Structure formats: C-alpha cells, structure tokens
Amino acid sequence: MPPKRTLSPDPPHPPSAIYRSTAITDRSSRFIAIYSPSLTAQQLQSRPELSDATHRITASRVPSTQRSLAPSQQPLYTTTYSDDGEKYAGKALASVLSDLNVEGSVVVARWYGGIMLGPVRFDHIKNCAREAISKYVNSSEQQVLRAKKARTVVNHDEENRRGDLTRVLPERDRSISVLRGLLAEKQLAMEPSSPRVEKPVSPAKVPEYAKLPLNTLENLERARDATIGWVLAQIEKVEVAQQAEVAQQAEIGQKAEIGQPAEIGQPAEIRHHADIGEQAETGQPAEIPQQPEVPQQPEIPHQPEIPYQPEIPQPEISHQPKAIDKTERTTAKPSTTPNPA
C-alpha cells in the first residue's frame, strides 16, 4: 500500500491589525484599550502587555448565524462581554461597539492604584475603547471595507427590489385584465339593445420581467398603477349612471301609477354640460355635440329663357244691345180664326 500523501502546510495568515488607545491615568489607576476587527476577545486578553493588569474587560460583536425573515432588515449581530471582576463594565464596553456599529473585539485593561474611583471608572473604560475603535474607523482599511460593504448593501437592495417587482407586475397584469372585463360587462348592460359582437381576443404577450432593468420595472409599476386607477374610475362612473337610470325608471313608474306625465330624460343642453363636467374630472377631452343636419332644398332645373314678343292689338268689341226695328215688332200676323159675321 503506497504511503499517504502529506498535506501541504496552510499559508501563513496575514498579521491582524491592532489599534491601541492612549493610557488614561486617574489617582494611580491606569486604563488602556486594544481593538481588533479580526481577533477574538480571548486572543486580546492573552497579549503579553496585558498580563499583569488587574482587570481585563472584554466585549465582542460578530454577525449572527441567524437570519431574519424580512430580507430588507438590517443584519443581526451577536454581542458578548466579560466583566473580569469589574461589575457592569463589560456591558458598558459592549454598548460602545453597538454605538459605533463595528464588528470585532475590544479589551480594556485596568491597573488598580489602590484608590476607588467610583462611577467615573466607567467613563474611562468607554473613552479608551472609543479612542481605539475610532483609529480603526478612520483608517484607510476601514474606508475600503465600508465602501465594499456599501456596494454589497446596494446590490442586495436592488436584487430584493427586482425580485419584488417581478413578482408584483404579473399580478397587476391579471388585475387589469379582470377589471377591464368587468368594465366591458357593465358598459354592455347599459346598452342592452345594441348587438353584442364577439371580438377575437389574441393571447397577450407576457413580458419577461426578470430580464428587464430595475428602472424599467419601476416605470412599468407606475404605469400599471395608473391604468388600474383609470379603469376603477370608469367602473364607478358606469355604476353611477346605472343607479341614475334605475332611479329615473322608478320615478317614471310612480308617476305612471298616479297619472302624471313622466318627464323622460333631461334637456340636451343640461346633459351636455353634465357630461363635460364628468369628463373634466377624469381628465378626458370633452366631446362637442354635433349639430343636426339641415335638409337641403332640391335644386330647381334651369328653365330656358323665352324670347320677348311684342303685344298685338286686339279689335274692340262693343257690348251695347242690338237695336230692334219697331216696325217688325208692331207688324201683326194674319189671324186664322174665322170672323163671326
């Protein structure tokens, strides 16, 4: 059996950066803080320069292994601390890490001088830790890391936003289709006498939202919201018209029962002004009513011109009665009657 191959040694780890604060001395007590973004609290406690300290207070803040259900929330962190005989000092040191929003470990060493300092010792502990952490924050290494983390956060937010939009936009498309069908049914119910023509509906092409850039998805979201708002406004307008028609029919029926003449409809001018007001509220251009067409007079055929003829004088006719000859009237006819003698 051939011997096992020996493993190559691990590459040496780069030296971890350590940031120290200046020493604070108060009544023979001395405080020094050491911060590292990569070393653990135990590694900082075991450093030779801190071996003879009276107290070595530690605190660490690292990303948590747990994940939040909401991806847009801030990442979770696990914070630990140790008082090392200085009661409540570890919790105060951990608050400095949270306030400065950094990851890593910090240790504050105190050499007791024989005089109790009271609550002011917590101020010395936090000031030392804040100074050491501030040196790290202001370093060029931290600036590079912050820029990289900011880009990661931005990319993460963009991906989350893209995922939300690719999931929401198909739902908006289905809502628009359903609302348009409802609007068509209500408009058809307003005109039952008109024949219903079934138009062939071609299947809508579903956009590939996952391949579109983020700004295009956001513009599409605004457009879908505007379309849904307009369709809802049209549905409300049709429903109001239906209610008005039902009320008008009920009023006509009541007047017919009591024998009063029914006033059907409104004057054309009033209806026209009402339609203009409704169209102005919805932002649609007003329709100008067309004037009734005036029937045209039939054309008279052109008559040929008659030439002028001079007037012919007519003989005068006398209307006096004809003279009767008196001699003819007085002449007696011979009698045929025999004369009695």
Side-chain angles (χ1 to χ4, degrees), residues 146-164:
R146 282 204 306 269
K148 183 178 179 181
K149 185 179 294 185
R151 287 194 300 268
T152 304
V153 171
V154 170
N155 295 335
H156 185 66
D157 293 342
E158 289 182 357
E159 290 300 324
N160 291 336
R161 179 63 174 160
R162 282 174 57 84
D164 294 340

Side-chain angles (χ1 to χ4, degrees), residues 92-93 102 151 167 176 180 239 252 255 273 290 292 323 339:
L93 191 59
V102 293
R151 287 194 300 268
R167 184 180 64 257
I176 290 173
R180 281 178 173 170
E239 290 177 349
I252 292 173
K255 289 184 178 181
H273 289 296
Q290 299 180 356
N339 189 10

Side-chain angles (χ1 to χ4, degrees), residues 82-119:
S82 172
D83 295 335
D84 193 30
E86 192 72 65
K87 195 173 183 181
Y88 306 119
K91 188 174 182 180
L93 191 59
S95 65
V96 177
L97 294 174
S98 301
D99 294 341
L100 297 178
N101 194 21
V102 293
E103 302 173 9
S105 302
V106 61
V107 58
V108 176
R110 179 190 179 185
W111 287 265
Y112 181 63
I115 301 175
M116 293 185 182
L117 302 181

Side-chain angles (χ1 to χ4, degrees), residues 265-320:
Q266 294 180 346
E269 184 177 358
I270 296 177
R271 292 197 304 271
H272 171 61
H273 289 296
D275 293 341
I276 291 177
E278 292 176 355
Q279 291 172 350
E281 292 178 0
T282 58
Q284 298 182 359
E287 297 180 358
I288 301 176
Q290 299 180 356
Q291 299 294 336
E293 296 182 358
V294 179
Q296 298 181 357
Q297 298 293 337
E299 295 183 359
I300 301 175
H302 179 70
Q303 299 292 337
E305 186 177 357
I306 302 174
Y308 174 74
Q309 296 180 0
E311 185 176 354
I312 302 175
Q314 300 291 333
E316 295 182 1
I317 302 176
S318 176
H319 296 284
Q320 294 180 0

Side-chain angles (χ1 to χ4, degrees), residues 141-297:
E141 177 186 355
Q142 174 62 10
Q143 292 177 1
V144 172
L145 292 176
R146 282 204 306 269
K148 183 178 179 181
K149 185 179 294 185
R151 287 194 300 268
T152 304
V153 171
V154 170
N155 295 335
H156 185 66
D157 293 342
E158 289 182 357
E159 290 300 324
N160 291 336
R161 179 63 174 160
R162 282 174 57 84
D164 294 340
L165 290 176
T166 53
R167 184 180 64 257
V168 168
L169 286 175
E171 297 177 359
R172 301 283 173 85
D173 293 340
R174 289 191 291 269
S175 300
I176 290 173
S177 178
V178 173
L179 290 175
R180 281 178 173 170
L182 179 61
L183 176 60
E185 292 179 0
K186 289 183 176 295
Q187 289 176 343
L188 185 62
M190 290 288 294
E191 301 175 359
S193 59
S194 60
R196 184 171 183 178
V197 179
E198 295 290 342
K199 297 182 180 179
V201 179
S202 58
K205 183 179 179 181
V206 180
E208 296 182 1
Y209 293 116
K211 297 182 179 180
L212 298 178
L214 180 60
N215 57 348
T216 303
L217 294 176
E218 292 176 346
N219 293 335
L220 289 175
E221 183 189 24
R222 288 191 289 267
R224 298 296 187 272
D225 291 341
T227 302
I228 291 175
W230 182 84
V231 176
L232 290 175
Q234 294 300 314
I235 292 176
E236 184 179 1
K237 181 179 177 180
V238 173
E239 290 177 349
V240 171
Q242 289 177 346
Q243 294 175 0
E245 184 178 359
V246 171
Q248 185 179 7
Q249 294 296 334
E251 183 179 358
I252 292 173
Q254 292 177 358
K255 289 184 178 181
E257 292 178 359
I258 61 178
Q260 293 184 1
E263 299 177 359
I264 302 176
Q266 294 180 346
E269 184 177 358
I270 296 177
R271 292 197 304 271
H272 171 61
H273 289 296
D275 293 341
I276 291 177
E278 292 176 355
Q279 291 172 350
E281 292 178 0
T282 58
Q284 298 182 359
E287 297 180 358
I288 301 176
Q290 299 180 356
Q291 299 294 336
E293 296 182 358
V294 179
Q296 298 181 357
Q297 298 293 337

